[in-house]
Amino acid sequence: MGVKTDLQPEYGERRTRLPPGPWNLSKAEKREVCNSFYGMKVPEGYSSNIKNLVSLQDSRLLGLKSHDCHTLMQQLLPVAIRSVLEKPATYATTRLCFFFNAICAKTVDVSKLDKLEEDVVVTLCLLEKYFPPSFFDIMVHLVVHLVREVHLCGPVYFRWMYPFERYMKVLKGYVQNRTRPEGCIAERYIAEEAVEFCTQHLSDVSTVGVPSSQKMGVSKPLSGCTVSVVDQDLLNQAHLYVLENTEEVLPYIEQHMIHIKTAYPKFRKRTKWLQDKHNSTFIQWLRFKVQSELEEDNHGVSENLRWLAAGPNMAVPLYRSYLIKGIKFNIKAQADVRTTQNSGVYLLADTMQVASAKDKNPILSNMGFYGVIQEIWDLDYQKFTIPVFRCDWIDSSGLVVDELGFTLVDLSKIGHRNDQFVLASQVKQIFFVDDPMHRSWSVVLSMPNREYNDVIGDEVLGDVIIECEPFTRGMPNVDTFDELVGELGGQNIRGGCEDIWIE
C-alpha cells in the first residue's frame, strides 16, 4: 500500500530487521534524557529531588510519586525530549503536555475551552500518526472528554485527589495506638477542632492549622543575616527604586520632572536625558523638598514619607533566604550548593524601550525581565524595613522564544547594570532548566500553582484575584491580566475564597 515504507521490515539472508519507529529511543538517547533529568534543579515544594529518581546505569526513572509524574508530564518532559525524538513526534508529545498544563490551571477562561478541545483532538490525531496502535488504550481516548468535564464540573483543580491524599497522611499521623486507628483519628480530630475554636477567643496565640510561616502576607527573613556597609551608588540605586514604587512619592516625581524641564528647557523633548537627570538628582531633591514642607504648618507629610525621604541606613542586613507571601527565595550562592533552585525571578514592568542605541525618543511599554537573585537586602528606614533583591537581569539579546513557545535565556548575558534592584513583593518565582538542544541556553519554567498562597504576580479585579502567567508565552495557559480583562467585557465572574471560575 506504500504506507510508511520506512517502517517496513527489512528482510535479510539470516534474519528480518524491524526499523526503529519515531517513538523509539536508542541507548544513547535514553541516557541523554536521563542526564537531562539528573541535572534539573527545581524550587522547594515543586516535586521530589529529580536527581534521586534517575538511574543513570539503567537509563530509567524509579520511585516516582503521583505528584512527580504530574510535574514531569506538565513541564519537565517536554524539555527533556527536545533533543532526542524526531521533530513531529516531539511536537505531538509537547502539545499533549501543554494540554494537561492548561487543563490543570487554577484559572480557566471558558471562552477558550472550545479551542482547547479542538487542539487536543488534533493532538491525538498527531499521536496516531507517529505512535503504534497498541499505545491507544481507553485512557488515551478519555483525554478527549476532559474539556467537556471542565465545562460541566468546573476546573480540574477542585476535583483532583491531591488534597485528599495529603490529608490522608495527616490522618495517619494521628494514629498512636495501632490497634484502635479509627478511635485515635476521631479523638485527635475533635481535640484539634476544640483547640482551633478556643484560639478564636484568645489573643496572641497561633492556630494549629496552617503554619504562620505559610500564611498569606507573611514576609520575613529566614537565614544568613550579615550586616554590611554597602557601596553608596548601589544603595542609592536601591533607594531610588523604592521611592519610584511608593505611591506617596509619585506626586513628587511629577513635580521633579516639571522642575527639570523648567531648569533645562533645551532638553525638555529628550526623554532619555530627562530620565537620567531625574535618576541622578531626585533623591537629594526629595530630601530637601520634604524638609522644607515639614517646616510649614499643616504640611501633610506622612510619617512614612518622612523616613523614606531621609534615606536608608548605610549598614544593610544581607540575607541568604527570605520568605515573601509564603514563597521562599534564596540567593544564587545558596542555590549553587543545594539541590533546589529558588533564585530565579520574573518581573513584568513598565519600562522605557528604544529601537537602537541612537534612539533619543524611547516609548513606555510593558516588558518582561528574567533574572537571578544575587543578594537580598533589607533596607532599614529606622521605623520600618523594605526587602529588595539585587539581581542579574538577562539582557534582551539573551532572550528568545522558540517555535514551540518555550522561553529560552542565556544566563551569561547580563544587562541592566544601572537598574539591578527590585522590590521583593513584585517578582514571581521561576526556575531555569538547561536546554538539551542548545547547551548555552536555559529553558524558563514557572512554579506550579500553590494551594494556600499563590498570590505572587496576581492582579486584583474588585474582590476577585485573577492569576497571571505572563512568562509562559506560547503555552495554552491564561493570558496576562490586561488581555484577560479586555476579553471579559460584561461576562459574569463568580469568585471563591482562593480561586475564580470565569463563565
Side-chain angles (χ1 to χ4, degrees):
M1 296 178 62
V3 177
K4 295 189 176 182
T5 56
D6 57 327
L7 297 180
Q8 299 302 321
E10 299 175 358
Y11 299 98
E13 295 181 358
R14 296 184 178 181
R15 65 183 65 182
T16 301
R17 176 180 177 272
L18 291 176
W23 61 88
N24 290 125
L25 297 180
S26 64
K27 289 185 178 180
E29 290 173 336
K30 291 180 181 179
R31 192 177 300 111
E32 187 174 349
V33 172
C34 290
N35 285 330
S36 179
F37 284 127
Y38 191 80
M40 289 182 180
K41 279 188 176 183
V42 298
E44 292 185 21
Y46 179 83
S47 68
S48 302
N49 184 5
I50 304 297
K51 186 176 181 179
N52 294 336
L53 306 178
V54 180
S55 174
L56 295 179
Q57 295 179 348
D58 303 331
S59 297
R60 297 176 60 189
L61 296 176
L62 304 173
L64 275 74
K65 303 292 180 63
S66 59
H67 184 70
D68 299 325
C69 296
H70 209 79
T71 55
L72 287 175
M73 177 180 61
Q74 287 193 30
Q75 289 189 309
L76 302 183
L77 181 62
V79 177
I81 65 173
R82 281 166 58 83
S83 61
V84 294
L85 286 179
E86 295 180 5
K87 188 174 181 180
T90 302
Y91 178 69
T93 307
T94 303
R95 282 176 61 106
L96 183 65
C97 295
F98 284 177
F99 167 76
F100 282 104
N101 190 43
I103 209 72
C104 297
K106 287 176 66 176
T107 308
V108 179
D109 188 351
V110 178
S111 63
K112 297 184 178 181
L113 286 181
D114 292 337
K115 179 65 168 59
L116 193 61
E117 189 170 18
E118 295 175 5
D119 289 342
V120 74
V121 172
V122 175
T123 300
L124 294 180
C125 293
L126 291 175
L127 292 174
E128 291 177 356
K129 291 175 62 177
Y130 307 116
F131 287 84
S134 59
F135 174 77
F136 296 93
D137 56 13
I138 188 62
M139 296 304 296
V140 178
H141 167 73
L142 290 178
V143 174
V144 178
H145 301 289
L146 292 180
V147 178
R148 182 169 174 267
E149 286 186 9
V150 174
H151 271 293
L152 297 176
C153 307
V156 178
Y157 179 77
F158 293 110
R159 296 180 283 112
W160 61 19
M161 293 302 296
Y162 292 118
F164 304 99
E165 291 173 356
R166 283 194 292 268
Y167 194 62
M168 287 298 294
K169 183 178 185 300
V170 174
L171 295 179
K172 289 179 182 178
Y174 290 170
V175 178
Q176 300 296 326
N177 184 358
R178 294 185 179 273
T179 62
R180 299 289 187 271
E182 297 90 346
C184 291
I185 292 174
E187 292 292 334
R188 179 74 175 272
Y189 183 85
I190 294 173
E192 279 201 3
E193 285 290 313
V195 172
E196 187 80 25
F197 176 78
C198 293
T199 56
Q200 298 178 5
H201 303 277
L202 302 175
S203 59
D204 299 328
V205 294
S206 59
T207 60
V208 295
V210 182
S212 60
S213 61
Q214 297 296 319
K215 292 181 179 178
M216 290 187 184
V218 174
S219 299
K220 67 174 185 178
L222 294 180
S223 66
C225 178
T226 59
V227 180
S228 175
V229 179
V230 298
D231 181 71
Q232 183 64 48
D233 292 338
L234 285 177
L235 184 63
N236 288 339
Q237 188 182 131
H239 178 44
L240 178 63
Y241 189 89
V242 171
L243 293 177
E244 291 182 338
N245 288 271
T246 303
E247 187 175 356
E248 291 182 272
V249 185
L250 295 182
Y252 292 91
I253 294 177
E254 297 177 359
Q255 295 179 30
H256 185 240
M257 294 298 292
I258 296 175
H259 168 73
I260 296 175
K261 291 179 181 180
T262 304
Y264 303 95
K266 294 182 180 180
F267 300 96
R268 60 185 308 123
K269 293 184 178 181
R270 296 177 58 177
T271 308
K272 188 176 184 304
W273 187 93
L274 292 174
Q275 187 65 39
D276 293 340
K277 189 67 175 178
H278 165 76
N279 293 341
S280 61
T281 61
F282 179 68
I283 294 177
Q284 186 176 5
W285 179 88
L286 179 65
R287 184 182 298 115
F288 290 133
K289 180 71 174 176
V290 172
Q291 287 179 355
S292 62
E293 291 184 357
L294 288 173
E295 296 174 357
E296 302 175 359
D297 296 333
N298 301 323
H299 48 77
V301 177
S302 66
E303 190 73 9
N304 288 344
L305 181 58
R306 174 188 172 187
W307 291 108
L308 281 172
N313 195 335
M314 284 289 294
V316 178
L318 307 180
Y319 294 95
R320 291 197 302 266
S321 299
Y322 214 97
L323 188 73
I324 300 293
K325 297 180 180 178
I327 296 181
K328 183 179 180 182
F329 292 91
N330 294 337
I331 61 175
K332 187 177 184 301
Q334 189 85 341
D336 290 340
V337 297
R338 292 191 172 186
T339 58
T340 55
Q341 178 190 163
N342 290 73
S343 58
V345 291
Y346 170 84
L347 174 68
L348 183 66
D350 292 333
T351 185
M352 306 295 292
Q353 299 189 34
V354 295
S356 64
K358 298 181 180 180
D359 188 2
K360 298 181 180 179
N361 295 305
I363 60 174
L364 186 67
S365 61
N366 282 336
M367 185 175 180
F369 296 91
Y370 303 84
V372 179
I373 301 174
Q374 298 297 330
E375 293 179 344
I376 299 177
W377 294 14
D378 211 8
L379 298 181
D380 184 9
Y381 288 93
Q382 306 300 329
K383 294 296 184 180
F384 53 88
T385 60
I386 298 179
V388 296
F389 296 155
R390 187 175 76 84
C391 305
D392 281 347
W393 299 103
I394 310 302
D395 190 72
S396 57
S397 61
L399 173 66
V400 296
V401 179
D402 69 1
E403 57 186 1
L404 290 177
F406 287 103
T407 301
L408 305 178
V409 296
D410 187 350
L411 297 176
S412 63
K413 295 184 178 180
I414 308 301
H416 313 286
R417 297 289 187 182
N418 296 326
D419 195 7
Q420 303 180 55
F421 291 90
V422 65
L423 293 181
S425 58
Q426 290 180 329
V427 296
K428 189 176 181 78
Q429 189 172 76
I430 59 175
F431 63 102
F432 305 99
V433 175
D434 292 338
D435 184 14
M437 292 183 63
H438 311 93
R439 298 299 179 181
S440 61
W441 293 81
S442 299
V443 180
V444 179
L445 296 177
S446 65
M447 276 290 293
N449 297 324
R450 300 219 176 187
E451 211 167 315
Y452 297 110
N453 44 33
D454 188 16
V455 295
I456 301 291
D458 292 353
E459 299 285 349
V460 178
L461 179 63
D463 295 329
V464 179
I465 294 181
I466 297 181
E467 182 186 353
C468 302
E469 295 289 348
F471 48 86
T472 53
R473 295 196 295 176
M475 292 188 181
N477 207 329
V478 136
D479 293 331
T480 59
F481 174 71
D482 293 333
E483 295 173 348
L484 185 57
V485 173
E487 294 177 1
L488 289 179
Q491 300 181 57
N492 179 36
I493 300 179
R494 182 171 70 244
C497 61
E498 292 179 4
D499 310 285
I500 65 165
W501 170 239
I502 305 175
E503 292 186 332

